[in-house]
């Protein structure tokens, strides 16, 4: 398969995607707390909720009004992050809220062109008045997660401190490597963030 060129190198805030196809490992909690802490220290942060469950949106305390733009507009209507960002109650913290419509996006966009995964989230690379973009992804390695990785500068992987979490980790690492080879050669691994540690165990 012909490898596609990486995303265009335009000025933009660094994009960090929080990803793990295993549910309940702390992706959303990581993004909420990291974003809030950075905002409290003066960093202008944009969080993007790509999970149709919209836990990040509610966790931030944002209640979208009817007709407000969502991450669906980012991926399907290809609008820029600068146009979609909404202010929150936390100074310096803005959000592109999630949408239940993202649940069927894989089927809706099936059959697109080979570079479609990169084009879906291209709006995240639009320069805007933020210092950092943090992206929360759904618990899967489907089109939404891959599209985010295709334009990201780095990926942060929360890993639950239990044995079975390691089984899915190799699959995620393989996906990250595939994205590097075919869509985004500059994608970096920020690290593995250990979550839900129980110091009483020897694991």
């Amino acid at each position: 398969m012909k490898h596609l060129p990486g995303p265009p190198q335009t000025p933009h805030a660094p994009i960090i995607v929080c990803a793990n196809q295993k549910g309940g490992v702390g992706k959303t909690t990581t993004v909420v707390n990291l974003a809030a802490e950075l905002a409290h220290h003066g960093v202008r942060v944009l969080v993007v909720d790509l999970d149709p469950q919209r836990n990040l949106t509610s966790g931030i305390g944002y209640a979208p009004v009817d007709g407000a733009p969502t991450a669906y507009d980012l991926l399907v209507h290809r609008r820029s992050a600068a146009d979609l960002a909404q202010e929150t109650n936390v100074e310096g913290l803005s959000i592109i809220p999630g949408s239940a419509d993202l649940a069927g996006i894989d089927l809706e966009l099936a059959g697109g062109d080979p570079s479609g995964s990169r084009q879906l989230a291209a709006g995240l690379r639009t320069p805007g008045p933020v210092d950092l973009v943090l992206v929360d992804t759904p618990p899967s390695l489907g089109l939404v997660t891959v599209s985010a990785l295709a334009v990201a500068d780095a990926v942060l992987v929360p890993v639950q401190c239990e044995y079975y979490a390691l089984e899915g980790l190799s699959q995620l690492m393989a996906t990250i490597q595939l994205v590097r080879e075919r869509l985004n050669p500059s994608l970096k691994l920020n690290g593995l963030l250990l979550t839900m540690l129980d110091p009483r165990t020897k694991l």
Side-chain angles (χ1 to χ4, degrees):
M1 180 178 180
K2 183 179 179 181
H3 290 181
L4 300 170
Q9 299 302 311
T10 57
H12 65 276
I15 302 168
I16 300 177
V17 171
C18 194
N20 191 326
Q21 78 274 22
K22 190 175 186 297
V25 299
K27 291 190 299 295
T28 300
T29 301
T30 296
V31 173
V32 167
N33 285 280
L34 184 58
E37 186 68 16
L38 288 171
H40 284 311
H41 282 81
V43 180
R44 297 172 300 174
V45 183
L46 169 64
V47 293
V48 183
D49 190 352
L50 295 185
D51 190 341
Q53 298 181 68
R54 298 171 288 180
N55 291 330
L56 173 62
T57 301
S58 59
I60 290 291
Y62 180 81
V65 298
D66 291 340
T70 69
Y72 184 84
D73 296 296
L74 174 76
L75 297 182
V76 176
H77 299 147
R78 315 293 172 90
R79 293 177 60 184
S80 73
D83 293 336
L84 301 174
Q86 307 292 309
E87 294 300 320
T88 70
N89 292 327
V90 179
E91 185 178 355
L93 178 58
S94 55
I95 185 172
I96 299 179
S99 169
D101 293 332
L102 291 172
I105 197 172
D106 283 34
L107 291 176
E108 186 174 347
L109 299 176
D113 62 279
S115 63
S117 292
R118 183 174 68 246
Q119 294 174 358
L120 286 181
L124 289 176
R125 285 184 166 258
T126 303
V130 295
D131 301 312
L132 179 67
V133 178
L134 293 174
V135 183
D136 187 27
T137 57
S140 73
L141 295 178
L143 186 59
V144 171
T145 299
V146 171
S147 68
L149 293 174
V151 299
D153 296 287
V155 55
L156 177 64
V157 182
V159 181
Q160 187 177 356
C161 294
E162 55 97 15
Y163 178 78
Y164 294 109
L166 298 178
E167 293 185 348
L169 190 58
S170 59
Q171 182 184 3
L172 177 60
M173 292 298 105
T175 299
I176 291 173
Q177 183 57 34
L178 197 61
V179 169
R180 281 188 184 131
E181 293 173 357
R182 300 186 179 182
L183 295 171
N184 185 2
S186 62
L187 179 64
K188 295 180 174 59
L189 178 64
N190 261 8
L192 307 179
L193 176 64
L194 301 181
T195 63
M196 305 179 199
L197 171 66
D198 185 350
R200 298 173 299 175
T201 67
K202 293 183 178 181
L203 181 62

